[in-house]
Amino acid sequence: MSSPDSPLLPVLSPIAISEMTTRSGKVFNDGKADINMNSPGKNGRAEKSDRIFYIVFASLVLDLLAFTVILPLLPGLLDHYSQNDSSGLYNVLKNSVSGFRSLVGAPDNARWNSVLFGGVIGSLFSLLQFLTSPIIGAASDVYGRRPLMILCMIGIATSYLIWAVSNSFLTFVIARIVGGISKGNVSLSTAIVTDVSSPQKRGKGMALIGVAFSIGFVFGPSIGAGISILTKADDAAVAYMIPALFSLTLALADLIFIYVFLEETLPTNKRLQSKNVLSHAIEYINPVSLFKFSSVKKLSATESSKVQSLGAIYFIYLFIYSGLEFTLPFLMHDRFSYTSVQQGRMFFFLGFVMALVQGGYTRRISPGKESKIASHGILILMPSFVMMAYASSTWFMYLALTLFSFASATVVPCLTTLVSTYGGDNEKGTIMGIFRSLGALARAFGPFWASAVYWSFGPNACYIQGALILLLPMYQIYKQVKAETKRSTFM
């Protein structure tokens, strides 16, 4: 919920327009401005990094508002395509979902069928990000961040255009596929923040990315719900055309914004010289290679071990987190009879708490404290899951959700900051792409695991098991904290 890999949620901080509209830097022979982070003056470098932070932040807010508009509309869209699909794909996928539902013992009703159906589409989107994020990141190490960012935004805008004319479910799925393939802008954003930030300011940049996600996932669905109310009409095509055109407008505005204001942050002399990105595509998407970070060459044996450990911690954490997050609406409905409106209020509460944590705490974490804070987040998440398993009153559940929000606002930003410190300047895109790819893989399969446990063994077993499995990443990160403490003692 809090990170580049989270589906949820802080409130919009004031952004100084003058900071976003001031351009500086030298011009390379391709005519594009480049950030000169070696220019004299500590204050000058700090101002440049801050300006890039806010440009990335504003771009992600536009992107995520457009991306999340569809979330409250998805059940209605699926209902529309169930009655108006000439391609036959809807029935094929429906039968597959029904088979999974029967296998895990989920109840056969329209509400949960829609949730599971949406989960399948969400998993498809995550799988596509798993395949493309490391390739896009590696390509940015060779060709620069700016051209790849523009290319991603063109793809995202194209996906909304296809959605706007999707008169069949097949066309709608194609739109989601194009969007999933193009969604490398998030990992590129983390690479850009890494390019321009000092170790002291990198945490602030990663926290701002988390804030952008939080804004998008709080306000985007509300906008989508508002559009659905204002555009009720007999013509079912309006159900998807108007929100799709709204998302397309935001995507085009984001594309123009990036083209005008985003400067290249990876100078030509710091780029990876190899041009054979596609020839290494299999290595980039091979899960074994990803967990080993094999594509990152400039790592010592010790550094490689630490990066692999961070990747494993991130994957296990997000696998559990995304799975239990997916089952949370089931739990709230079954135990407290929550309606869709009440569910929306619950997620808004999560976003508000995360806003307070990210805006007032996460962005102020001192360099070198990231492992410790991430361990605290995971440690807090475990009793949160136990409390959810046995909560019999809403106030106790909301106490658990408060702890849940703290973990959401701290763990992923801290892990992202940690992994961004490794590798050479010309491999940051590859590292961040691989890292995000591992998160996408976790999000693709986490909901299936959690749904199976939830419906087969009950919510108590599901949440308790999740809390116990978190002991694995907790132990791994504890070892890192212990090693860092020992090293700082001898320094």
Side-chain angles (χ1 to χ4, degrees):
M1 286 187 194
S2 67
S3 61
D5 294 294
S6 179
L8 284 163
L9 315 141
V11 282
L12 185 56
S13 322
I15 301 175
I17 300 299
S18 60
E19 287 198 24
M20 290 193 297
T21 55
T22 303
R23 303 194 63 169
S24 63
K26 63 181 181 177
V27 177
F28 284 110
N29 56 13
D30 60 355
K32 301 297 184 289
D34 181 76
I35 295 296
N36 183 5
M37 294 307 294
N38 297 316
S39 61
K42 181 178 179 181
N43 290 338
R45 291 194 297 272
E47 289 175 3
K48 289 176 182 179
S49 63
D50 283 346
R51 184 173 62 254
I52 294 296
F53 287 172
Y54 291 127
I55 289 171
V56 168
F57 169 77
S59 172
L60 282 175
V61 169
L62 287 172
D63 173 60
L64 292 163
L65 286 175
F67 174 71
T68 56
V69 161
I70 194 176
L71 297 182
L73 308 175
L74 195 55
L77 284 170
L78 294 177
D79 183 60
H80 165 69
Y81 288 120
S82 69
Q83 306 297 324
N84 302 273
D85 179 34
S86 57
S87 68
L89 179 62
Y90 182 91
N91 286 330
V92 172
L93 190 55
K94 180 181 178 182
N95 292 334
S96 299
V97 171
S98 297
F100 175 75
R101 178 192 54 74
S102 300
L103 179 66
V104 300
D108 185 10
N109 61 60
R111 177 184 177 88
W112 298 140
N113 286 341
S114 294
V115 172
L116 290 172
F117 210 111
V120 170
I121 294 176
S123 293
L124 170 64
F125 199 89
S126 294
L127 278 173
L128 290 169
Q129 291 182 69
F130 155 70
L131 294 174
T132 60
S133 288
I135 296 175
I136 292 172
S140 77
D141 286 335
V142 175
Y143 302 105
R145 316 295 186 212
R146 187 175 185 273
L148 267 296
M149 182 69 87
I150 291 173
L151 187 62
C152 285
M153 293 314 305
I154 291 174
I156 290 170
T158 301
S159 72
Y160 296 137
L161 179 61
I162 297 173
W163 177 24
V165 297
S166 57
N167 55 3
S168 71
F169 185 63
L170 176 60
T171 311
F172 174 74
V173 171
I174 291 173
R176 301 303 290 172
I177 290 174
V178 173
I181 291 173
S182 306
K183 206 63 179 172
N185 61 315
V186 177
S187 57
L188 288 175
S189 295
T190 59
I192 289 170
V193 166
T194 301
D195 289 338
V196 302
S197 60
S198 63
Q200 290 73 25
K201 299 197 69 171
R202 189 167 295 156
K204 175 185 176 182
M206 297 304 175
L208 277 176
I209 291 177
V211 170
F213 264 81
S214 299
I215 292 170
F217 279 91
V218 167
F219 294 105
S222 300
I223 294 171
I227 291 175
S228 68
I229 294 172
L230 294 174
T231 59
K232 283 189 178 296
D234 294 333
D235 184 4
V238 174
Y240 63 82
M241 184 176 295
I242 300 299
L245 290 176
F246 177 80
S247 294
L248 175 61
T249 301
L250 288 180
L252 291 175
D254 196 7
L255 174 59
I256 295 170
F257 177 78
I258 288 173
Y259 184 82
V260 173
F261 296 116
L262 182 64
E263 306 164 29
E264 180 56 65
T265 59
L266 185 64
T268 305
N269 62 342
K270 290 186 177 181
R271 295 178 190 174
L272 199 62
Q273 297 305 306
S274 172
K275 302 292 183 181
N276 299 319
V277 175
L278 291 180
S279 66
H280 297 288
I282 299 299
E283 182 181 15
Y284 293 139
I285 64 176
N286 182 337
V288 175
S289 297
L290 287 177
F291 277 102
K292 290 183 177 180
F293 285 78
S294 301
S295 302
V296 185
K297 307 301 182 184
K298 295 182 179 180
L299 294 174
S300 66
T302 301
E303 290 175 331
S304 179
S305 176
K306 290 181 178 179
V307 169
Q308 290 176 31
S309 177
L310 287 172
I313 291 167
Y314 181 59
F315 175 82
I316 297 172
Y317 168 81
L318 268 185
F319 181 85
I320 300 300
Y321 178 94
S322 64
L324 297 189
E325 176 190 65
F326 182 77
T327 63
L328 189 55
F330 294 105
L331 179 66
M332 298 303 289
H333 178 77
D334 291 342
R335 190 168 293 172
F336 303 110
S337 300
Y338 261 35
T339 64
S340 297
V341 173
Q342 289 172 309
Q343 302 272 15
R345 291 172 181 167
M346 175 192 69
F347 283 116
F348 193 86
F349 168 80
L350 292 174
F352 178 73
V353 175
M354 290 171 60
L356 295 178
V357 176
Q358 287 180 324
Y361 177 69
T362 306
R363 68 185 182 89
R364 292 188 171 93
I365 295 172
S366 302
K369 297 286 185 66
E370 293 88 357
S371 294
K372 186 176 182 179
I373 300 303
S375 68
H376 290 170
I378 297 175
L379 186 63
I380 288 173
L381 190 59
M382 289 190 285
S384 168
F385 286 156
V386 175
M387 292 166 67
M388 290 180 187
Y390 294 104
S392 58
S393 62
T394 54
W395 74 265
F396 192 71
M397 175 61 79
Y398 267 76
L399 178 59
L401 292 174
T402 301
L403 300 179
F404 180 84
S405 299
F406 179 86
S408 302
T410 55
V411 177
V412 170
C414 286
L415 292 178
T416 304
T417 302
L418 282 170
V419 81
S420 70
T421 62
Y422 293 96
D425 291 336
N426 58 5
E427 292 185 311
K428 297 298 185 184
T430 303
I431 282 185
M432 302 317 299
I434 291 173
F435 196 65
R436 179 162 175 78
S437 180
L438 291 174
L441 186 64
R443 283 199 169 277
F445 292 103
F448 287 102
W449 163 83
S451 296
V453 176
Y454 186 100
W455 296 115
S456 299
F457 302 102
N460 289 15
C462 179
Y463 283 79
I464 292 298
Q465 187 179 51
L468 291 174
I469 294 176
L470 283 178
L471 288 170
L472 295 175
M474 184 66 211
Y475 174 69
Q476 287 296 321
I477 202 166
Y478 171 75
K479 289 199 301 183
Q480 291 213 5
V481 172
K482 190 175 181 180
E484 290 175 2
T485 302
K486 183 182 295 185
R487 184 167 62 252
S488 62
T489 302
F490 287 101
M491 289 181 64

